[in-house]
Amino acid sequence: QVQLVESGGGLVQAGGSLRLSCVVFGRTLGMTDLAWFRQAPGKEREFVARIAWSGDSTNYGDSVKGRFTISRDGTRNTVLLQMNSLRLEDSAVYFCASRFSLGKYEYWGQGTQVTVSS
């Protein structure tokens, strides 16, 4: 029903920037919101940011506030994550996820690797 495809990951030096994209294929009618999560080796999955599918509200995890910006390109069913002032601890696999109700995120992408080097 829904497929999420992330892209934009890569290797970047500390202090640099990357922009991740998540393209939504399939059903979007009734979608509540879309979020980014990340998971580093040996660590639990961490919430990064979310945006209402309507685009009228956003939320951020404490560790990325002021550095990351989530936005939606409604014409292309794409959600972007602009990541600035990247730190070593931002290194992780980043996943986008969507849901159709305020519960668990039901649909997940395959993830894109972000590696921040010193």
Side-chain angles (χ1 to χ4, degrees):
Q1 292 184 343
V2 177
Q3 184 181 9
L4 307 176
V5 180
E6 304 102 330
S7 62
L11 176 64
V12 63
Q13 284 192 324
S17 298
L18 278 177
R19 189 176 73 170
L20 305 184
S21 297
C22 176
V23 181
V24 182
F25 296 95
R27 174 193 170 198
T28 59
L29 182 64
M31 187 173 292
T32 304
D33 58 342
L34 190 141
W36 286 95
F37 292 82
R38 66 187 183 186
Q39 188 165 22
K43 294 190 176 181
E44 292 188 353
R45 187 169 59 199
E46 177 187 12
F47 168 76
V48 175
R50 67 161 285 279
I51 184 166
W53 192 242
S54 62
D56 61 1
S57 70
T58 59
N59 298 92
Y60 295 90
D62 288 341
S63 62
V64 306
K65 280 180 183 176
R67 299 187 298 122
F68 291 11
T69 302
I70 190 170
S71 61
R72 184 189 163 214
D73 181 346
T75 62
R76 294 187 293 166
N77 280 352
T78 299
V79 172
L80 305 172
L81 184 68
Q82 179 66 42
M83 307 187 296
N84 298 329
S85 302
L86 283 162
R87 304 168 180 169
L88 297 179
E89 55 264 36
D90 293 320
S91 296
V93 178
Y94 284 69
F95 299 90
C96 64
S98 68
R99 59 185 177 180
F100 289 81
S101 63
L102 293 180
K104 285 187 177 181
Y105 284 92
E106 304 161 272
Y107 300 96
W108 293 79
Q110 80 287 350
T112 186
Q113 176 71 49
V114 171
T115 303
V116 183
S117 65
S118 58

